């Protein structure tokens, strides 16, 4: 097969994937009110964005939620991965199965099941319900990232630590945690991004007391075109790109 | 050896992990199963007489139509993703290793960017006075603007756009494992290109195909915001029905039954995926 055929095809698909994103970024700097005509360069939509109090509040809410959800899910996910890797206990298959279910089941199924739970136990929908839900759907991704890191690890090191009299806790803290650190950082960044982008689960488990960014965008884009969304989308894009590059860089560097 | 007093850390870890998963994964899922066989109640969402009314309601022609239409759009999405993704994954393995990493990176960038924002970006392109229509008209290809937004096609385009990477990545994984010597052996044994494709390449990449189908087909039935933004009121997904039943109509048994049908579909696909892996002698995880 000639070489230009695959290359042309790849280029074509990448162009299709990136055209909408490029259009969005370019139009975020558009001075015209209509979303379709170019009216000159301007930062007015960025200005409008930051002058919108509810929007800025939603941004802070989302950042705080993503920060806490990523942190909690990284801690629990790391412990889960360590437990799965090191301990032998009854019901290990069930534990694995539950993580698999969370990862594979359609988001909307997870969303309604959590809503049912929160209403049953009488939890008011807001920050806490969002946090519990986001930690739950981030968890399997952290577990997988950490497990991958642990799988190529020299088993004699923790044994040596135990033989030298370290308790399980001390051994985990001084031997295992440093080893899985890059995976923890990568898992944290992934969790942060997943939380920041989630629409489906948040639609179900959020309440009026805690408005978050994706839901605010959702209510804006359902009707018509809002140039502010272009600006917001561009900011989010730059932000996630930064996070992605950071996480890849950390993972690559740790492999050397 | 593993008594509580000797290993307090181990016990604490296991209690935390089990506690979280039992409370936030197992219980909620059981609740949905329970809700699906209960009776709708306007006050407390659910009441006791157990029955299969919700499942019967799914067979109601009105909902059956929505389901079939949603299934059709999801199937079209999956098919298009497969048709674009299969040669794409193959082509990816034909470029240099260094460049492959960059291309994979470019493929997962969208996965890390807000899907709502990307759906909205499509709206900019597809609107009646949007960029695509303007471009086509100024090129003289069309006279009148085409109505592209709020159609079935727009929903499918939106779903393909969001889900394509999920088809490509598992396909890339199987093509990357495809051993050149097997292809050469097939050629040496006198098989033509078509025969090699049908008898060697297709069976060996089947697990990737099924994994991709699984990762695309199910979300394609659940992503309710895509029809909300691009599809108008007539092109609903199962996700829209579930959302409406839970949040607006407050008919929980029905919403729960619909989501169980989705879950069963997922279980079926996963089973098929395992079988296909076992057939080529690679034990599935």
């Amino acid at each position: 097969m000639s070489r230009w055929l695959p290359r042309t095809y790849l280029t074509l698909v990448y162009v299709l994937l990136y055209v909408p994103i490029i259009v969005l970024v370019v139009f975020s700097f558009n001075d015209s009110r209509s979303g379709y005509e170019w009216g000159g360069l301007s930062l007015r939509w960025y200005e409008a964005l930051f002058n919108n109090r509810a929007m800025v509040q939603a941004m802070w809410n989302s950042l705080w939620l993503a920060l806490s959800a990523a942190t909690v899910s990284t801690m629990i996910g790391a412990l889960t991965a360590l437990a799965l890797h090191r301990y032998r206990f009854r019901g290990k298959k069930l534990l694995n199965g539950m993580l698999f279910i969370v990862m594979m089941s359609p988001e909307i199924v997870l969303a309604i099941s959590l809503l049912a739970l929160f209403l049953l136990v009488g939890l008011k929908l807001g920050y806490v319900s969002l946090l519990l839900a986001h930690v739950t759907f981030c968890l399997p991704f952290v577990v997988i990232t950490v497990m991958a890191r642990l799988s190529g690890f020299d088993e004699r090191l923790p044994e040596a630590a135990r033989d030298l009299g370290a308790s399980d806790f001390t051994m985990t803290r001084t031997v295992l945690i440093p080893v899985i650190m890059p995976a923890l950082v990568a898992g944290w960044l992934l969790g942060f991004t997943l939380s920041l982008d989630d629409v489906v689960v948040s639609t179900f488990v959020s309440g009026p007391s805690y408005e978050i960014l994706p839901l605010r965008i959702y209510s804006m884009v359902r009707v018509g075109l809002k140039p502010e969304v272009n600006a917001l989308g561009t900011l989010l894009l730059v932000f996630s790109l930064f996070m992605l590059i950071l996480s890849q860089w950390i993972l690559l560097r740790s492999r050397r | 050896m593993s008594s509580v007093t000797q290993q307090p850390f181990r016990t604490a870890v296991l209690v935390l992990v089990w506690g979280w998963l039992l409370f936030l994964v197992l219980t909620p899922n059981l609740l949905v199963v329970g809700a699906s066989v209960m009776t709708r109640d306007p006050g407390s969402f659910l009441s006791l007489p157990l029955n299969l009314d919700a499942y019967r309601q799914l067979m109601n022609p009105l909902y059956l139509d929505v389901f079939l239409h949603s299934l059709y759009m999801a199937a079209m999405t999956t098919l298009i993703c497969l048709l674009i993704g299969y040669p794409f994954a193959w082509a990816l393995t034909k470029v240099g290793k260094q460049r492959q990493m960059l291309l994979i990176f470019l493929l997962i960038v969208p996965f890390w960017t807000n899907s709502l924002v990307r759906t909205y970006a499509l709206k900019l392109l597809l609107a009646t006075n949007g960029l695509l229509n303007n471009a086509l008209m100024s090129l003289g290809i069309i006279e009148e603007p085409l109505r592209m937004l709020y159609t079935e096609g727009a929903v499918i385009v939106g779903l393909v756009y969001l889900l394509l990477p999920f088809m490509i990545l598992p396909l890339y994984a199987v093509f990357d494992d495809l051993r050149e010597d097997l292809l050469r052996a097939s050629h040496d044994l006198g098989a033509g290109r078509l025969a090699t494709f049908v008898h060697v390449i297709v069976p060996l990449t089947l697990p990737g195909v099924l994994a991709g189908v699984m990762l695309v087909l199910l979300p394609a039935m659940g992503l309710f915001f895509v029809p909300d933004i691009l599809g108008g009121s007539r092109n609903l997904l199962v996700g829209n029905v579930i959302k409406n039943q839970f949040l607006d109509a407050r008919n929980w048994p029905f919403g729960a039954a619909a989501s169980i049908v989705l879950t069963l579909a997922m279980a079926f696909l996963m089973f098929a995926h395992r079988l296909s892996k076992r057939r080529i002698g690679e034990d599935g995880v």
Side-chain angles (χ1 to χ4, degrees):
Chain A
M1 191 168 24
S2 59
R3 286 180 68 185
W4 60 267
L5 189 67
R7 288 199 179 171
T8 319
Y9 182 65
L10 289 175
T11 314
L12 185 74
V13 176
Y14 277 110
V15 166
L16 287 177
L17 278 177
Y18 277 86
V19 158
I21 296 176
I22 292 166
V23 165
L24 181 91
V25 173
V26 169
F27 271 71
S28 75
F29 298 105
N30 184 7
D31 195 38
S32 151
R33 168 124 219 121
S34 109
Y36 316 109
E37 275 145 23
W38 185 250
L41 216 59
S42 143
L43 287 175
R44 63 186 281 205
W45 304 119
Y46 290 89
E47 221 178 296
L49 202 63
F50 287 105
N51 285 330
N52 184 338
R53 266 171 156 246
M55 182 67 94
V56 172
Q57 182 61 48
M59 251 185 246
W60 283 121
N61 284 349
S62 266
L63 278 179
W64 175 240
L65 175 67
L67 213 70
S68 39
T71 307
V72 176
S73 63
T74 303
M75 291 193 304
I76 299 181
L79 291 177
T80 309
L82 287 174
L84 284 171
H85 182 73
R86 294 196 24 83
Y87 299 148
R88 233 181 269 180
F89 54 89
R90 241 173 294 156
K92 204 167 179 171
K93 275 209 160 135
L94 178 65
L95 198 75
N96 258 322
M98 286 195 288
L99 287 169
F100 191 64
I101 286 176
V102 177
M103 208 166 60
M104 291 307 296
S105 64
E107 273 178 291
I108 192 155
V109 175
L110 185 75
I112 61 164
S113 69
L114 287 169
L115 175 66
L117 176 77
F118 294 150
L119 291 184
L120 184 82
V121 299
L123 181 71
K124 200 168 152 283
L125 295 180
Y127 173 70
V128 177
S129 61
L130 279 168
L131 179 66
L132 290 174
H134 283 212
V135 170
T136 303
F137 70 66
C138 292
L139 206 55
F141 293 96
V142 179
V143 175
I144 285 185
T145 318
V146 176
M147 288 285 267
R149 178 84 188 160
L150 280 172
S151 70
F153 171 63
D154 187 350
E155 277 312 311
R156 285 168 304 186
L157 280 175
E159 272 166 41
R162 294 303 304 270
D163 291 345
L164 291 170
S167 73
D168 217 21
F169 175 70
T170 314
M171 186 278 292
T172 305
R173 192 169 54 85
T174 54
V175 179
L176 290 180
I177 301 280
V179 168
I180 60 173
M181 207 40 163
L184 291 185
V185 177
W188 190 91
L189 289 168
L190 182 58
F192 187 90
T193 320
L194 286 174
S195 164
L196 203 61
D197 285 351
D198 172 71
V199 188
V200 175
V201 175
S202 303
T203 303
F204 283 81
V205 300
S206 76
S209 65
Y210 200 82
E211 199 188 20
I212 55 171
L213 203 54
L215 296 187
R216 184 143 189 103
I217 302 177
Y218 186 36
S219 62
M220 284 173 80
V221 296
R222 283 173 86 166
V223 279
L225 293 167
K226 298 268 166 32
E228 292 101 314
V229 176
N230 299 343
L232 184 59
T234 304
L235 290 178
L236 283 172
L237 181 73
V238 171
F239 190 65
S240 351
L241 208 58
F242 170 73
M243 299 286 272
L244 178 59
I245 291 171
L246 191 64
S247 85
Q248 295 293 313
W249 182 70
I250 288 167
L251 277 180
L252 277 181
R253 208 184 51 155
S254 71
R255 241 174 253 153
R256 278 184 206 142
Chain B
M1 189 198 134
S2 60
S3 79
V4 174
T5 44
Q6 274 177 333
Q7 298 192 318
F9 179 67
R10 177 186 194 272
T11 313
V13 168
L14 287 180
V15 166
L16 175 72
V17 169
W18 272 111
W20 191 282
L21 288 174
L22 287 179
F23 182 62
L24 285 151
V25 179
L26 194 64
T27 318
N29 277 300
L30 293 177
L31 279 175
V32 173
V33 176
S36 74
V37 293
M38 287 174 82
T39 308
R40 178 186 183 185
D41 187 305
S44 59
F45 301 116
L46 297 164
S47 60
L48 239 202
L50 296 183
N51 54 58
L52 292 174
D53 282 0
Y55 291 92
R56 226 163 279 144
Q57 210 183 337
L58 285 175
M59 295 294 144
N60 175 326
L62 183 72
Y63 288 114
L64 204 59
D65 275 355
V66 175
F67 267 76
L68 290 178
H69 188 50
S70 170
L71 190 64
Y72 166 76
M73 287 192 288
M76 283 306 285
T77 302
T78 313
L79 187 67
I80 295 171
C81 282
L82 188 61
L83 289 178
I84 300 176
Y86 199 85
F88 186 89
W90 200 349
L92 262 185
T93 59
K94 300 276 177 226
V95 300
K97 206 72 195 164
Q98 198 73 30
R99 191 170 293 181
Q100 255 176 59
M101 296 313 286
L102 177 70
L103 291 175
I104 293 285
F105 176 80
L106 284 176
L107 201 62
I108 53 175
V109 166
F111 173 73
W112 283 62
T113 42
N114 197 296
S115 43
L116 263 182
V117 169
R118 281 187 294 139
T119 314
Y120 171 79
L122 278 181
K123 198 174 187 171
L124 281 177
L125 286 172
L126 297 178
T128 308
N129 46 355
L131 296 172
L132 191 56
N133 266 321
N134 284 350
L136 289 176
M137 283 201 297
S138 60
L139 288 174
I141 298 172
I142 51 171
E143 306 262 304
E144 299 267 295
L146 298 171
R147 188 170 163 275
M148 291 184 277
L149 204 56
Y150 308 123
T151 59
E152 186 183 281
V155 175
I156 295 174
V157 167
L159 290 171
V160 169
Y161 184 50
L162 292 185
L163 297 170
L164 186 60
F166 294 93
M167 177 65 85
I168 292 174
L169 291 175
L171 283 173
Y172 169 71
V174 287
F175 272 114
D176 203 34
D177 281 348
L178 198 64
R179 283 163 43 200
E180 281 294 328
D181 51 345
L182 287 178
L183 303 185
R184 232 171 293 130
S186 169
H187 181 76
D188 293 347
L189 291 170
R193 279 190 178 177
L194 185 68
T196 303
F197 180 72
V198 172
H199 296 294
V200 181
I201 299 180
V202 168
L204 284 176
T205 52
L206 195 61
V209 171
L210 282 166
V213 167
M214 197 155 71
L215 291 173
V216 171
L217 187 64
L218 289 160
M221 293 199 272
L223 290 175
F224 56 77
F225 58 85
V226 175
D228 272 355
I229 297 171
L230 299 172
S233 57
R234 270 189 300 160
N235 299 298
L236 299 178
L237 299 179
V238 178
N240 296 77
V241 176
I242 297 178
K243 175 172 158 263
N244 292 341
Q245 294 299 326
F246 259 82
L247 298 183
D248 305 327
R250 300 273 169 195
N251 186 348
W252 279 36
F254 183 64
S259 91
I260 283 174
V261 172
L262 264 192
T263 311
L264 289 178
M266 170 191 81
F268 173 76
L269 283 175
M270 263 163 23
F271 182 67
H273 179 235
R274 258 190 122 112
L275 276 187
S276 80
K277 268 196 145 172
R278 200 158 293 168
R279 262 194 55 194
I280 62 165
E282 215 184 290
D283 226 352
V285 184

